Amino acid sequence: MASETVEAKKTVELAEALGSADSIDNLVAHLKTGAKAFGGIAALKAALESKAIPTRTAALESIPKIVEEVGVAAEPFLVPLIPTILEQTGDKQSAIKNAAEAAARAIVDASNANAVVTVLGNLYEGMDTKKHPTSKEIAVSLVGNLVLRHPVQITKALPDLVPAVSAVMNESKASIKKAANETMVKACALVGNRDIEKVVPLILNSILNPSEVQDTVHKLASTTFVQSVEAPALSIMVPLLLRGLRERVTAIKRKATLICDNMAKLVEQPTEAMVFLPRLMPEVEKVTQEAADPELRKVANSCLQTLKRIEQEGLEKMSKKMEKENCLIFIRDILAKTADGKNALVDEAVVILDYVAGMCAALTNNKVFDNELWNSKVFTPYLSVFVSAASIETLTKAIVTRCEAEVAVKNTEYFDDEEGDELCNCDFSLAYGAKILLNNAALRLKRGRRYGLCGPNGVGKSTLMRAIANGQVDGFPPKDVLRTIYVEHDIDGSKSDLSGIEFIHTDEDVQAVMTVNKEQVIEMLSSVGFDLAMQEKPVSSLSGGWKMKLALARCMLMKPDILLLDEPTNHLDVKNVAWLENYLTSLSHVSAILVSHDSGFLDHVCTHIIDYNNRKLKVYKGNLSEFVKAKPEAKAYYELEASTLTFKLPEPGYLEGVKTKDKAILKMDKVSYKYPNTDRMIFENATAYCTLSTRVACLGPNGAGKSTLIKVLTGETEPTVGTVWKHPNLRIAYVAQHAFHHLEKHLDKTPNEYIQWRFAPGEDREAQEKETRQVSEEEAEKMRAKIQLETGGGKLVVEKLLARRKLKKSYEYEVQWVGKTSDQSTWMARDQLVELGFEKMVNEIDLKEAAAMGLFSRPLTTASIQKHLEDLGLESEFALHSHVRGLSGGQKVKVVLAAATWQNPHLIVLDEPTNYLDRDSLGALASAIKEFGGGIVIISHHNEFVSALCKERWIVGDGKMVREGDNLPAVREKVEIKQQDEVIDAFGNTIKVKAPKKEKMSNKEKKALEKLRKARKERGEQVTEEDEW
């Protein structure tokens, strides 16, 4: 100990005596004797702060020589002197200034790459706003040197480096701005993101010129971000986004928020974004609370939810940050366990151990746990003068293990290490237009497994299936290596007249894979349940279930390795779903990827679930129930009430004369139907009615005639026998089984444009195509017959009907006669016109009047349509900016539902509404139906959906329709007309609607009303208690 004290004292004396070249040489020579001579290095700092110019100059000039001759042993003692040396660069004496700059550069250039964080911390002190301009300039220039010398380590330090350098870029002195800009350009080159590299000059320009922020945000908003976003990219973008969020202009705030949201969605590792969230989230939250524009608040809320999701995921996966102090404790504990190790626990080693601990912390936080690197670059260069190589090796292993364990995060994700023939193992990205669906997603498939592909509408499940089938997925084996078949159950219209046998035998895809004869086709069709009669039937006459079997037979003839099935249970009854489940589970050597929103089907069939998770594909072992256990937030797959979405159906409004919900508004009486040119009746003597309280489930096996029955009921098709009556002012919304047929001619319109086109004439354009509105030649001939007027004037021919008005319990219509002027028109009663053969002409007037009533409070404007689409779950991004062609199946169903309900219908008929809708949307639709004030008729095989909603059932089968259950709770329930709270006018303004005040009748008014009722009774008119028409 005595000798150590002597060495330290001698160092102090030599440092204090600095003032000449000899004194510098003496200090360097002494320091080269070993680390124990560094005990008095503090004296060097004192010399640097001395008022004596010769002493300061000599101290500064000694440092490059110490760096050169003493080497790494002096580094732990010299790096902490950087702030003091940078202070000297602002000295008035040019000799001191130059010596200080040379000293600082010598230390920084010689520093250990793993000590970058420590060195940067000392340089940031020199860049503080209170420091001398020259100090700032040299410090920021030295940061630039570090960027070039140690790019890998600097990349990890960018989150702290960019804000520090950005602050200096706004200095008033031109030389400082130039140096800072050069350093920032060097740092930005390390971003490693192709999307951002293109706009780096713009971002740097906006930092130098704050007035350019708005223009930069505008240009960035048109950039499509595809590559995954990591911490370096966020380092560059966050300062600009913060400025954009603080701008006063609403458009800039909105675009900055959108950029933030889009980039956040591409963050691959949430832990990398955690350091930026404390800066971003308060600014975004401020916009959600203070922005006046509702659209901006909505976008900001979406962004905030994305950031909160990243925060939650980051907290779950984020490892504990290793601090230098903890590493120092670990090192001391391990050294203290051996006699040799204790040699490093001396006063002279305190600074060295602190410096080494800083490097250990940096490597740990960067997840670098290479034993050889830690040994050769961190411990040996600095501790070898104190302890042996064997002790250093022991220390390295122990400290690496300890540090790794401290920051380790338990990985609960499923890793597929089971045995099996691997069919595919690839990483790829997938986009649809400018929208990123999957980003660097991994897909690994094994033979004989059945994978359920799960995720909400619009994430790209069907797009992925199509991309695999079309060979557009990078790394996925080509078809000649791995035969992947997409199961199509929508039949090409040009082949719909072919028999099942011919349909398969002439299929180009089947024949391209292998030569198939008719005997093989017949054998395969028989294996999936087709008898000889069914095989000969045209495919257009097959029900949905049989079309699915036909598609499977076609695919199995091609001997696939992987089957791709998109919503295979759509249109299938319970019996056929069970058959499909058994068939798929029997294919032990064929894998399958299935998209379905039928929870029971996925439970029975799947061996694994692939979940869309933040633009990745995450695999869970087991069926759907196991998946929900592992991911509780997906419980909407089992419980419709668990849906987090809300839909709102428009209130039906007033229906003249209907004051109780049990009154029939639509009836069919002893109706029978058969297809033209056939003999078999699809159903006979069907009698039913609908009211405003109707909640009916129409059930039956595939091909029983459910959809045909509903088409007859709603006026889509005319009955063969029997009558169908509907209230003259009744508005019906009908969503067909194959709902997409509504959109096939409008694929290049946006949903908003489609609804505007459909209702532009004042009524539903598509309703004009109904069979019941087409006039046959026989009917036209009857309407051309002359009519004898009761008022005299001879026989006349009807030209058209002009208008309608109330007549007691019915209506009368204004008739325009051929050859007569408009003032010579005649009013005729409805019953009289129907009897004369003008029923369809009368119905046309009724439909127009009903449509006008439904559209009275709903202007056909972009804003009003957008509100309606949002009420049914379609976001403005898709409703206003995406063509129908680019929408997913679930989104198209929402568009069709929105269009069908645009006229505020009194009765909504849904044929297979559960097809394509995800579970959240299904739950939202179920809740909206419960709240709806009109009647609902549903055709569905989705037992859970109809059971939750429908008390009454119409069972169709064997040519009959049987009614079960009843809507008893609604008997005599009075109709409550819900007043709209607000309407949107033609200019997009939201107008609050005040409800009319309810006024009680005076005694005089009551007597007058009673007198009127008595007079009506005397005239023979029927008067009810509610005074119905």
Side-chain angles (χ1 to χ4, degrees):
M1 288 295 293
S3 62
E4 293 173 5
T5 305
V6 170
E7 294 290 342
K9 285 182 177 179
K10 187 173 181 180
T11 306
V12 173
E13 292 169 1
L14 289 169
E16 289 176 345
L18 285 172
S20 65
D22 292 339
S23 61
I24 294 173
D25 291 338
N26 292 335
L27 176 61
V28 172
H30 181 65
L31 291 174
K32 288 170 69 176
T33 61
K36 294 176 182 177
F38 285 90
I41 200 71
L44 184 60
K45 183 178 181 181
L48 291 172
E49 297 171 346
S50 172
K51 291 184 179 180
I53 293 175
T55 302
R56 273 192 289 154
T57 305
L60 289 168
E61 290 175 347
S62 70
I63 289 173
K65 200 163 187 178
I66 294 172
V67 171
E68 183 182 353
E69 298 191 23
V70 179
V72 295
E75 188 182 329
F77 301 93
L78 296 179
V79 168
L81 296 179
I82 291 176
T84 305
I85 295 170
L86 289 173
E87 287 275 2
Q88 304 299 322
T89 60
D91 197 276
K92 294 179 181 179
Q93 298 290 328
S94 60
I96 292 178
K97 185 187 298 185
N98 294 336
E101 183 177 350
R105 291 190 184 280
I107 296 172
V108 172
D109 290 348
S111 61
N112 191 317
N114 301 300
V116 157
V117 173
T118 303
V119 176
L120 282 174
N122 288 285
L123 289 173
Y124 294 156
E125 281 191 47
M127 292 158 57
D128 188 84
T129 53
K130 297 178 182 178
K131 299 296 182 183
H132 192 279
T134 307
S135 171
K136 296 178 190 177
E137 183 178 341
I138 293 173
V140 78
S141 175
L142 290 174
V143 171
N145 286 2
L146 273 180
V147 172
L148 296 178
R149 295 180 71 87
H150 308 305
V152 175
Q153 290 76 13
I154 287 290
T155 300
K156 302 290 186 181
L158 282 178
D160 295 318
L161 184 151
V162 171
V165 177
S166 297
V168 183
M169 288 177 73
N170 291 317
E171 287 287 333
S172 57
K173 192 174 180 182
S175 60
I176 300 177
K177 294 178 80 169
K178 182 182 177 183
N181 189 52
E182 290 174 352
T183 296
M184 186 65 89
V185 169
K186 295 173 186 176
C188 289
L190 305 178
V191 168
N193 187 296
R194 295 185 300 275
D195 304 324
I196 294 176
E197 284 171 358
K198 306 170 191 173
V199 294
V200 162
L202 291 173
I203 296 173
L204 295 183
N205 188 47
S206 68
I207 296 174
L208 285 169
N209 305 295
S211 61
E212 298 291 327
V213 169
Q214 292 190 18
D215 188 50
T216 304
V217 171
H218 275 299
K219 290 176 180 176
L220 273 175
S222 61
T223 301
T224 300
F225 295 100
V226 179
Q227 194 174 346
S228 58
V229 176
E230 298 174 341
L234 288 170
S235 305
I236 304 298
M237 291 295 296
V238 166
L240 176 66
L241 293 177
L242 290 173
R243 290 188 178 192
L245 290 169
R246 293 165 186 158
E247 284 285 330
R248 292 184 178 182
V249 181
T250 297
I252 299 301
K253 279 187 177 182
R254 185 181 184 279
K255 288 185 176 181
T257 309
L258 275 173
I259 294 168
C260 182
D261 192 17
N262 290 335
M263 287 195 64
K265 289 173 181 175
L266 290 174
V267 171
E268 188 169 353
Q269 298 294 335
T271 52
E272 296 204 5
M274 292 296 285
V275 68
F276 304 100
L277 295 182
R279 283 187 277 168
L280 277 174
M281 288 180 71
E283 293 296 333
V284 176
E285 193 166 8
K286 187 177 179 181
V287 175
T288 65
Q289 296 170 352
E290 299 180 2
D293 182 41
E295 176 67 15
L296 172 56
R297 291 198 302 272
K298 182 180 176 182
V299 172
N301 270 311
S302 173
C303 179
L304 187 61
Q305 293 307 312
T306 302
L307 295 178
K308 285 182 177 179
R309 174 184 58 76
I310 290 175
E311 182 182 42
Q312 183 179 354
E313 292 177 5
L315 290 172
E316 292 172 359
K317 298 179 181 178
M318 191 174 182
S319 58
K320 176 183 174 184
K321 185 179 179 182
M322 181 59 72
E323 301 293 341
K324 180 178 72 173
E325 291 73 19
N326 292 335
C327 281
L328 185 59
I329 293 171
F330 299 156
I331 293 170
R332 286 182 170 278
D333 288 346
I334 295 167
L335 289 172
K337 291 179 181 178
T338 64
D340 188 39
K342 289 178 181 177
N343 292 329
L345 300 178
V346 293
D347 292 343
E348 291 82 356
V350 170
V351 176
I352 295 174
L353 292 178
D354 185 76
Y355 191 71
V356 168
M359 287 191 283
C360 291
L363 287 169
T364 300
N365 292 329
N366 291 336
K367 305 296 183 292
V368 179
F369 300 108
D370 182 354
N371 275 317
E372 176 58 31
L373 187 147
W374 285 54
N375 190 323
S376 62
K377 302 295 183 182
V378 177
F379 293 118
T380 298
Y382 307 101
L383 298 183
S384 57
V385 295
F386 296 101
V387 296
S388 65
S391 294
I392 289 176
E393 187 172 348
T394 303
L395 171 65
T396 300
K397 290 179 180 178
I399 195 69
V400 169
T401 302
R402 181 76 180 271
C403 288
E404 188 172 9
E406 280 291 315
V407 298
V409 178
K410 186 178 179 182
N411 188 3
T412 58
E413 293 186 11
Y414 165 71
F415 177 72
D416 188 358
D417 58 353
E418 302 171 54
E419 293 184 4
D421 180 13
E422 186 172 271
L423 301 178
C424 160
N425 191 354
C426 60
D427 296 305
F428 64 97
S429 295
L430 183 67
Y432 190 95
K435 184 180 180 183
I436 309 305
L437 302 174
L438 290 169
N439 182 47
N440 293 332
L443 181 64
R444 189 182 185 194
L445 305 175
K446 290 190 176 181
R447 188 175 297 280
R449 294 184 180 177
R450 296 173 295 280
Y451 299 89
L453 192 58
C454 294
N457 288 142
V459 295
K461 301 185 294 295
S462 297
T463 304
L464 173 60
M465 303 269 270
R466 291 279 186 187
I468 292 174
N470 296 332
Q472 296 171 329
V473 172
D474 293 337
F476 197 92
K479 287 188 177 182
D480 56 349
V481 176
L482 188 70
R483 193 166 293 161
T484 306
I485 309 297
Y486 189 90
V487 182
E488 296 269 13
H489 52 87
D490 288 331
I491 305 301
D492 184 350
S494 62
K495 299 180 179 181
S496 59
D497 293 332
L498 297 176
S499 68
I501 297 172
E502 289 298 325
F503 175 79
I504 294 177
H505 187 252
T506 59
D507 188 276
E508 293 177 2
D509 292 335
V510 174
Q511 296 297 342
V513 172
M514 57 191 302
T515 304
V516 176
N517 56 43
K518 287 191 176 182
E519 287 70 27
Q520 290 172 302
V521 174
I522 292 170
E523 183 182 350
M524 182 57 70
L525 285 172
S526 299
S527 71
V528 296
F530 278 81
D531 57 27
L532 291 175
M534 290 287 289
Q535 292 174 15
E536 295 293 341
K537 275 188 173 184
V539 294
S540 60
S541 67
L542 299 177
S543 67
W546 286 107
K547 284 178 181 176
M548 170 52 70
K549 291 183 179 183
L550 181 69
L552 278 172
R554 168 186 169 275
C555 293
M556 293 311 297
L557 276 170
M558 292 189 272
K559 301 189 182 306
D561 295 303
I562 299 177
L563 284 175
L564 305 174
L565 297 101
D566 192 358
E567 300 289 359
T569 61
N570 281 2
H571 318 305
L572 299 192
D573 57 23
V574 176
K575 182 180 177 182
N576 279 310
V577 169
W579 177 90
L580 181 60
E581 290 172 356
N582 293 331
Y583 185 79
L584 291 174
T585 53
S586 69
L587 303 175
S588 58
H589 289 85
V590 178
S591 296
I593 301 178
L594 311 113
V595 173
S596 177
H597 297 114
D598 185 334
S599 54
F601 175 73
L602 293 178
D603 242 357
H604 295 148
V605 173
C606 293
T607 59
H608 294 74
I609 297 294
I610 301 176
D611 180 40
Y612 267 75
N613 188 352
N614 191 26
R615 291 170 176 76
K616 302 291 181 187
L617 297 176
K618 187 175 180 181
V619 179
Y620 293 81
K621 185 180 179 181
N623 60 6
L624 186 67
S625 58
E626 293 299 317
F627 165 62
V628 173
K629 288 178 184 176
K631 189 178 179 180
E633 59 267 34
K635 63 182 179 180
Y637 273 100
Y638 282 111
E639 304 169 18
L640 292 177
E641 295 80 6
S643 172
T644 55
L645 292 179
T646 55
F647 286 5
K648 181 182 177 183
L649 292 168
E651 284 302 317
Y654 177 67
L655 189 57
E656 190 173 9
V658 180
K659 297 184 178 179
T660 59
K661 286 196 171 184
D662 66 323
K663 183 170 183 176
I665 55 176
L666 180 64
K667 301 177 187 176
M668 59 179 178
D669 184 36
K670 297 179 180 178
V671 167
S672 302
Y673 183 81
K674 67 176 181 179
Y675 288 109
N677 304 319
T678 62
D679 297 324
R680 185 177 72 89
M681 285 289 184
I682 303 300
F683 54 83
E684 294 182 274
N685 294 319
T687 298
Y689 69 93
C690 295
T691 69
L692 287 175
S693 64
T694 289
R695 294 293 185 272
V696 170
C698 188
L699 308 174
N702 288 124
K706 302 183 297 298
S707 296
T708 305
L709 175 74
I710 296 303
K711 285 182 178 179
V712 171
L713 178 68
T714 58
E716 296 278 325
T717 303
E718 288 190 319
T720 306
V721 180
T723 58
V724 176
W725 172 89
K726 77 179 187 68
H727 189 293
N729 295 336
L730 179 66
R731 295 185 295 275
I732 302 175
Y734 177 57
V735 179
Q737 181 179 24
H738 302 285
F740 298 166
H741 87 270
H742 294 282
L743 305 173
E744 286 169 356
K745 298 177 183 177
H746 310 282
L747 298 178
D748 293 320
K749 290 186 176 76
T750 66
N752 201 297
E753 290 169 345
Y754 164 66
I755 292 178
Q756 289 189 47
W757 169 87
R758 184 166 165 177
F759 296 97
E763 61 172 321
D764 188 350
R765 271 184 164 134
E766 294 190 359
Q768 296 171 0
E769 300 173 5
K770 289 183 179 181
E771 182 181 320
T772 51
R773 295 183 70 171
Q774 308 305 314
V775 178
S776 67
E777 186 58 39
E778 182 183 344
E779 290 169 329
E781 184 65 32
K782 193 173 182 180
M783 286 191 285
R784 284 194 290 268
K786 291 185 176 181
I787 300 172
Q788 176 64 53
L789 294 180
E790 295 177 359
T791 57
K795 293 185 177 182
L796 298 174
V797 177
V798 174
E799 181 179 344
K800 59 183 176 181
L801 301 185
L802 299 175
R804 184 188 78 176
R805 69 186 182 188
K806 193 79 171 63
L807 176 67
K808 298 182 180 180
K809 291 178 61 178
S810 184
Y811 292 100
E812 61 180 358
Y813 299 79
E814 186 179 6
V815 181
Q816 171 75 52
W817 304 102
V818 174
K820 298 290 184 180
T821 59
S822 58
D823 61 339
Q824 293 177 308
S825 61
T826 306
W827 289 92
M828 296 182 68
R830 178 189 177 91
D831 293 343
Q832 186 182 0
L833 285 168
V834 170
E835 187 178 341
L836 291 170
F838 293 92
E839 184 175 6
K840 287 190 176 178
M841 200 177 280
V842 167
N843 289 342
E844 283 295 310
I845 295 291
D846 289 343
L847 287 169
K848 288 180 180 179
E849 291 288 334
M853 291 178 192
L855 297 174
F856 180 72
S857 60
R858 194 186 279 275
L860 195 67
T861 60
T862 299
S864 185
I865 295 171
Q866 176 52 35
K867 174 69 167 58
H868 182 55
L869 286 165
E870 285 179 352
D871 284 343
L872 290 169
L874 193 70
E875 299 172 358
S876 59
E877 188 67 27
F878 300 106
L880 292 171
H881 308 297
S882 297
H883 286 176
V884 171
R885 186 186 304 280
L887 301 181
S888 70
Q891 289 167 334
K892 286 178 181 176
V893 170
K894 292 172 186 176
V895 174
V896 172
L897 184 60
T901 57
W902 175 252
Q903 292 181 312
N904 298 340
H906 302 100
L907 180 69
I908 299 177
V909 181
L910 304 170
D911 195 345
E912 297 287 3
T914 59
N915 293 349
Y916 301 104
L917 286 180
D918 62 28
R919 292 290 296 189
D920 280 330
S921 298
L922 208 56
L925 179 59
S927 298
I929 287 174
K930 288 179 181 177
E931 297 296 321
F932 180 57
I936 298 284
V937 178
I938 301 171
I939 302 176
S940 179
H941 299 299
H942 199 294
N943 184 58
E944 179 190 5
F945 185 73
V946 296
S947 298
L949 299 171
C950 303
K951 297 284 192 299
E952 185 178 357
R953 291 170 296 282
W954 298 349
I955 312 299
V956 183
D958 298 325
K960 298 178 182 179
M961 188 203 81
V962 180
R963 292 176 61 203
E964 295 180 358
D966 205 351
N967 285 309
L968 292 176
V971 173
R972 306 306 294 172
E973 180 186 345
K974 287 192 175 182
V975 176
E976 180 185 352
I977 305 300
K978 294 184 180 178
Q979 187 80 18
Q980 280 186 285
D981 296 328
E982 57 185 38
V983 295
I984 301 174
D985 67 12
F987 297 101
N989 301 312
T990 301
I991 302 170
K992 297 291 182 182
V993 179
K994 293 182 179 180
K997 293 182 178 179
K998 293 183 179 179
E999 297 182 2
K1000 291 184 177 180
M1001 296 176 69
S1002 65
N1003 290 334
K1004 185 178 180 180
E1005 288 170 330
K1006 287 179 181 178
K1007 287 180 180 179
L1009 179 61
E1010 185 59 34
K1011 186 177 180 180
L1012 179 64
R1013 286 163 58 88
K1014 188 180 291 186
R1016 289 177 62 187
K1017 285 181 180 179
E1018 289 175 356
R1019 291 197 300 266
E1021 296 179 22
Q1022 184 178 354
V1023 181
T1024 64
E1025 288 299 317
E1026 293 90 358
D1027 194 26
E1028 295 179 349
W1029 56 284

